[in-house]
């Protein structure tokens, strides 16, 4: 497959890592980046992540058709603002790397209506608690899952092109409709990020815990807390955008969580005999769910 | 310091790893193990974790005073049953590796009253989702924190001996009273284990999520879910025992968690404007709490 001109609109960790991957797999491709800050611009030039870098304010009337591929790697909110100015002709393929799909796909479908277009929404399932182009790494996408969502009226050949592109980058691909994507991700990604953040704040609000924590220079934590807090508080702008786009499914997932946690808490009531069998069955269920979801223990 | 005869009562991952550590740091020490199952007995003999191994049923009237050090490495419930048969004279030092302290220390204090004794309760903050003597590793305790709790009437010299023992094994030590220990651990260890388990079960109970999960052979999860689910469903017997011993503080921690999660959920209500500032401040707070608790980002 050919790729001679790529535009990466928004170049943080994800966009920057994609630039490095493209450099490796499509060494002929010329990469243009568009970013918001001077700082990102100079990082990108220093790391040679792109051949050309523009600030957003220098890139107000882009000629999208100059590129074979345009990658939107900004929060979904910004993508929603750009969709209505995309061209309705030409062969440029548009993809985004957004973590939610429903609002983007709805915007694409309402903009193009029944006209054939080349916008495919994609979600590479990777990332890091790091952010910014400085944290970009070449193999971020290798052996990771990339979910592809095909809006109505998107051309089949563009969809296949995008699938091949991600597979060439090194990712595994599957197709999901936008609603299934957003509900599934609410449970497997968005809820875990909320829970990690709340967990850290609950410990932080307990007086005795923080008294002991601040009394010594070593952490009073084992590997459990370390793992459970790794993603806490990371990338607030990105997550606020995700929560905004996916608030219905995320609310549903939180409600389910509160319900199950309340049921567990009721097992601890001191006026009741301790139901060990019930607790054991919750633990066994978790082990089998974990194995099924992670495809491993 | 000298150590010639050690009894490790209960030899799973923790006891077995301690045996390996003792072999390295006190090569002269003779180690006796007491276990419940024939399977553990043969693993211990095969891995040469102990010089002598008894089954519990062969060890009903032990002569505790034969040992310099007795280590209880069983669930707290079993330790509580043994405390009332410990000798009230002699120089044997007793320690346990229990994950909760309040019930054990109360039992020790009520048994010895005002008589000087040599029982020090300890909690090495390590472990693994693995269990059993087969999983024992020599450096499990190296560079980990070990919390020491001194019951009333315990001799100062025994306390110092135990501190030196753990430091020689390679751990960092701090002292905490039993209530502070149990409350702090409810927030930093027990709640995270509950939350991880519930998180996996909430995803497992969502129809669409599991439909997508079972449709492909690769996991639909990034590193976030993987980390957040690592400790889910592990060691049910150990955790049931911990929850039973620490149900008051754990209930308090769960209540705090439900309260904060409900507050977060209310920020997502569709009839209200999305309060980004509030959300951003929760994320910033989590980042600073995380740094303070883990002593690192």
């Amino acid at each position: 497959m050919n790729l001679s001109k790529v535009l990466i609109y928004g170049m943080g960790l994800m966009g920057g890592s994609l630039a490095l991957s493209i450099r490796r797999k499509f060494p002929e491709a010329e990469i243009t980046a568009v970013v918001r800050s001077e700082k990102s611009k100079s990082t990108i030039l220093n790391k040679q992540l792109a051949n050309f870098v523009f600030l957003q304010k220098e890139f107000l009337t882009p000629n999208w058709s100059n590129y074979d591929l345009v990658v939107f790697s900004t929060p979904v909110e910004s993508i929603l603002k750009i969709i209505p100015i995309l061209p309705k002709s030409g062969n440029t393929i548009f993809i985004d790397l957004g973590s939610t799909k429903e609002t983007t796909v709805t915007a694409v479908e309402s903009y193009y209506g029944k006209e054939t277009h080349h916008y495919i929404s994609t979600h590479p399932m990777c990332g890091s608690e790091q952010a910014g182009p400085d944290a970009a790494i070449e193999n971020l996408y290798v052996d990771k899952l990339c979910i592809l969502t095909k809006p109505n009226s998107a051309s089949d050949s563009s969809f296949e092109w995008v699938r091949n592109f991600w597979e060439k980058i090194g990712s595994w691909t599957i197709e999901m409709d936008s609603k299934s994507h957003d509900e599934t991700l609410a449970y497997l990604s968005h809820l875990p990020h909320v829970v990690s953040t709340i967990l850290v704040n609950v410990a932080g609000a307990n007086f005795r815990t923080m008294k002991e924590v601040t009394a010594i220079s070593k952490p009073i934590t084992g590997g459990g807390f370390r793992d459970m807090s790794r993603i806490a508080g990371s990338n607030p702008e990105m997550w606020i955008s995700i929560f905004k786009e996916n608030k219905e499914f995320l609310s549903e997932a939180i409600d389910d969580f509160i319900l199950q946690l309340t049921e567990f808490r009721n097992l601890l009531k001191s006026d009741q005999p301790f139901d060990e069998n019930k607790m054991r069955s919750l633990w066994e269920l978790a082990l089998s769910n974990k194995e099924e979801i992670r495809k491993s223990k």
Side-chain angles (χ1 to χ4, degrees), chain A:
Chain A
M1 63 194 300
N2 275 327
L3 193 58
S4 54
K5 288 186 163 203
V6 184
L7 171 67
I8 301 184
Y9 193 96
M11 192 176 272
L13 168 74
M14 302 287 281
S17 297
L18 187 58
L20 290 171
S21 312
I22 290 174
R23 284 237 180 283
R24 186 178 168 86
K25 297 293 182 171
F26 303 91
E28 308 298 316
E30 186 186 271
I31 301 175
T32 301
V34 178
V35 292
R36 271 190 312 188
S37 72
E38 288 284 359
K39 185 169 167 249
S40 292
K41 183 170 177 174
S42 67
T43 303
I44 289 164
L45 291 172
N46 284 337
K47 287 191 77 171
Q48 297 186 294
L49 297 177
N51 304 79
F52 308 103
V53 188
F54 297 97
L55 289 176
Q56 273 185 27
K57 61 184 179 191
E58 303 162 344
F59 201 76
L60 291 176
T61 50
N63 190 347
W64 305 103
S65 307
N66 279 351
Y67 306 95
D68 304 314
L69 174 68
V70 173
V71 180
F72 296 115
S73 174
T74 61
V76 172
E77 264 185 291
S78 328
I79 302 172
L80 295 178
K81 285 179 193 146
I82 296 173
I83 288 170
I85 59 163
L86 296 183
K88 292 203 173 181
S89 60
N91 294 313
T92 304
I93 291 177
F94 295 91
I95 66 174
D96 65 78
L97 313 184
S99 305
T100 59
K101 293 288 152 245
E102 179 67 356
T103 52
T104 306
V105 166
T106 302
V108 167
E109 291 176 349
S110 91
Y111 176 62
Y112 288 107
K114 290 189 174 167
E115 292 175 77
T116 301
H117 64 84
H118 311 288
Y119 191 112
I120 308 295
S121 198
T122 75
H123 179 195
M125 295 277 300
C126 49
S128 156
E129 68 275 32
Q130 306 295 316
D134 223 17
I137 49 170
E138 187 186 287
N139 64 351
L140 184 69
Y141 299 102
V142 174
D143 213 21
K144 303 290 165 52
L145 187 72
C146 182
I147 303 173
L148 310 177
T149 303
K150 184 173 181 288
N152 289 335
S153 307
S155 87
D156 289 337
S157 61
S158 298
F159 184 79
E160 284 314 311
W161 191 95
V162 170
R163 184 197 292 277
N164 289 334
F165 169 76
W166 277 114
E167 290 179 355
K168 177 127 186 194
I169 292 297
S171 303
W172 296 86
T173 59
I174 52 164
E175 191 182 350
M176 242 185 243
D177 68 86
S178 60
K179 271 199 196 333
S180 295
H181 173 279
D182 285 7
E183 183 164 359
T184 300
L185 271 286
Y187 285 85
L188 297 183
S189 170
H190 311 167
L191 178 64
H193 276 82
V194 171
V195 159
S196 178
T197 300
I198 300 291
L199 189 68
V200 166
N201 284 345
V202 166
N206 181 261
F207 176 75
R208 189 130 59 167
T209 300
M210 295 312 282
K211 186 167 167 249
E212 295 296 342
V213 157
T214 50
I216 56 158
S217 61
K218 281 268 156 184
I220 314 182
T221 52
F225 188 87
R226 214 159 27 248
D227 282 359
M228 295 296 291
S229 61
R230 184 181 64 81
I231 55 179
S234 61
N235 293 343
E237 297 315 314
M238 186 183 94
W239 283 102
I240 288 170
S241 161
I242 291 174
F243 299 152
K244 204 185 262 184
E245 303 304 324
N246 202 25
K247 63 184 180 180
E248 273 78 20
F249 285 127
L250 178 57
S251 299
E252 182 189 295
I254 292 175
D255 289 344
D256 290 356
F257 188 92
I258 291 175
L259 198 71
Q260 286 206 29
L261 186 57
T262 304
E263 276 170 17
F264 177 87
R265 192 236 175 276
N266 290 340
L267 294 175
L268 301 176
K269 278 195 174 147
S270 29
D271 56 347
Q272 277 170 23
F274 199 84
D275 189 345
E276 294 194 15
N277 287 335
K278 174 72 185 158
M279 212 165 262
R280 201 171 288 118
S281 72
L282 289 178
W283 250 242
E284 282 161 10
L285 180 62
L287 218 53
S288 86
N289 281 329
K290 176 161 98 169
E291 203 170 337
E292 201 166 350
I293 295 170
R294 296 163 42 141
K295 315 285 177 188
S296 75
K297 282 192 182 174

